[in-house]
Amino acid sequence: MKKYINKILFLLAFTTVFVGCSDDDVVVINEDFTTTVNLNNDNIVLEEANEGVPVLTVSWAKPDFGYEAAAEYNILFSLAGVEDSPVESVAAGSALEKVFMTEDLNKVLLNLGAEPGTATNLDVMVDIILSKQYSKATDPTSLTATAYSGVLDLTTPWGVVGSATPGGWGEGPDTPFYKTAESGVYVAYIDMIVGEWKIRRDNNWDVNYGSDNNDGTLQPNGGNIPVAEAGSYKITFDENNLTYAIEKYSWGLVGSATPGGWDGPDVPLMYDSCSDTWRAVVKLNDGEWKIRQNNEWTVNYGSDAADGTLQSGGGNIPVTLGYYEVIVDFNNLTYSIEKTSVYGVVGSGYNDWGATPDFPFTPDYCNEGIYYANDVPLLDGEIKFRVNNDWGVNYGDNGLDGILELDGANIPSTEGTYDIMLDFTNPSVPTYTITAK
């Protein structure tokens, strides 16, 4: 936190600023400006059942700048008493207060590494921003809050297996089915190629179902079910009635802000079973975006007020250039979009040290701090891992021992296809693994 508080980069002494030439243009700035952070509640136990309910209001008075300054504010959260604690920053714009819903504050706690169910002591400050070059943080105010895990368990023992699936006929793990709101009815989202598939339990053949007539009915040890066209599919399995349904199914982001523009291909949204939402980590340009199904306009969503709510056929959602995580909840027709960091593979072993975009990692949404890059085509050479296709933050391995260091040494690579995992669950000792396919 100390590093953040001391982020004062102003080029002038900031005692007096003269604008223009006449005495009437002289502006005297109060260099001691500050304010006090007020909390409407300083001891909060969060419960998942209260999502959507406001639980914390952070407020402050406008500082006395000595002139009419157009300041903006960020609210900073950190772990109290922890040196070099990570900092969660939440923008408040020009307002003098910020209301946090249950899920908003819970996300702050989890991002800071708080243990669900355990009271966590936080420091809360307001960062007063006068320009890109100058910001000043207030003294901290104490807050005790208890997070909940926020992780759903929709797992089932059932999976999809076959030549049409990523795992083949058992060479890899089966693609899982997840619980739905209806007991005994499960769903799987899967990319398939031309081939065949079946349903089985516990990744073995003791209990398996196929379809002898390919008519939507299932029989124990029944026939393989053909897939005639590669694509993204949704498979619904009704264990109660031994039936199945399969349909082309995908969600994606489209628009002038996306790499594919308004004509696509769309940026795919990935299903997150731990929150029953759909997510994407993506670089967006200045422009607009919407959500649509199956790369078509038949089913699409936008937001008429760009306020986090979705409407069928709703308005385009504006965005500025940056790297974002987009989360879409189709159960409640809501979305969120927040700036984020995207890890990527760079080097002579992949893209000639950045001649083309880095190979992006995807977060493990059920395990905070884990990132995956699968089927990475590496060359003979060297690689590193960096953030947002930029060298400002990059990691290598000084001892080639699987431990990452900031600005560390290049990592040798050998031609082939690999799965790479980054593990930042312990931020002080991040690690990585590279596994040949």
Side-chain angles (χ1 to χ4, degrees), residues 76-119:
L76 310 178
F77 296 87
S78 66
L79 300 174
V82 177
E83 188 174 357
D84 294 327
S85 165
V87 176
E88 278 292 298
S89 177
V90 180
S94 59
L96 296 177
E97 72 171 26
K98 176 74 175 180
V99 177
F100 290 83
M101 300 295 182
T102 296
E103 59 271 28
D104 299 329
L105 186 57
N106 197 66
K107 182 175 181 180
V108 168
L109 286 163
L110 295 179
N111 287 347
L112 288 173
E115 185 71 23
T118 301

Side-chain angles (χ1 to χ4, degrees), residues 368-386:
E368 187 77 24
I370 303 293
Y371 303 85
Y372 292 102
N374 294 329
D375 298 318
V376 184
L378 296 183
L379 306 170
D380 292 333
E382 297 176 316
I383 62 170
K384 297 186 78 173
F385 311 115
R386 63 178 183 171

Side-chain angles (χ1 to χ4, degrees), residues 45-231:
V45 177
L46 299 170
E47 297 181 2
E48 189 170 4
N50 292 330
E51 288 188 351
V53 176
V55 290
L56 175 67
T57 300
V58 182
S59 61
W60 56 96
K62 185 175 181 178
D64 177 11
F65 299 111
Y67 74 109
E68 193 60 33
E72 293 197 353
Y73 305 92
N74 287 343
I75 301 170
L76 310 178
F77 296 87
S78 66
L79 300 174
V82 177
E83 188 174 357
D84 294 327
S85 165
V87 176
E88 278 292 298
S89 177
V90 180
S94 59
L96 296 177
E97 72 171 26
K98 176 74 175 180
V99 177
F100 290 83
M101 300 295 182
T102 296
E103 59 271 28
D104 299 329
L105 186 57
N106 197 66
K107 182 175 181 180
V108 168
L109 286 163
L110 295 179
N111 287 347
L112 288 173
E115 185 71 23
T118 301
T120 302
N121 296 321
L122 302 177
D123 285 334
V124 184
M125 302 189 303
V126 169
D127 194 28
I128 307 162
I129 305 167
L130 289 178
S131 71
K132 291 182 179 180
Q133 291 75 32
Y134 187 83
S135 65
K136 182 179 180 181
T138 64
D139 290 334
T141 295
S142 297
L143 170 66
T144 300
T146 303
Y148 57 89
S149 69
V151 175
L152 298 176
D153 184 6
L154 300 180
T155 58
T156 75
W158 298 99
V160 186
V161 65
S163 60
T165 74
W169 286 112
E171 294 86 357
D174 299 354
T175 298
F177 279 97
Y178 297 108
K179 298 174 185 175
T180 68
E182 187 175 352
S183 178
V185 178
Y186 314 119
V187 64
Y189 302 102
I190 181 172
D191 291 331
M192 306 184 87
I193 60 175
V194 175
E196 298 176 316
W197 61 278
K198 298 185 73 174
I199 297 169
R200 65 178 184 172
R201 189 170 68 190
D202 296 326
N203 282 268
N204 66 58
W205 291 105
D206 293 346
V207 179
N208 74 88
Y209 294 103
S211 183
D212 292 332
N213 299 309
N214 301 323
D215 60 355
T217 63
L218 293 167
Q219 297 81 37
N221 303 305
N224 300 341
I225 304 170
V227 175
E229 183 180 358

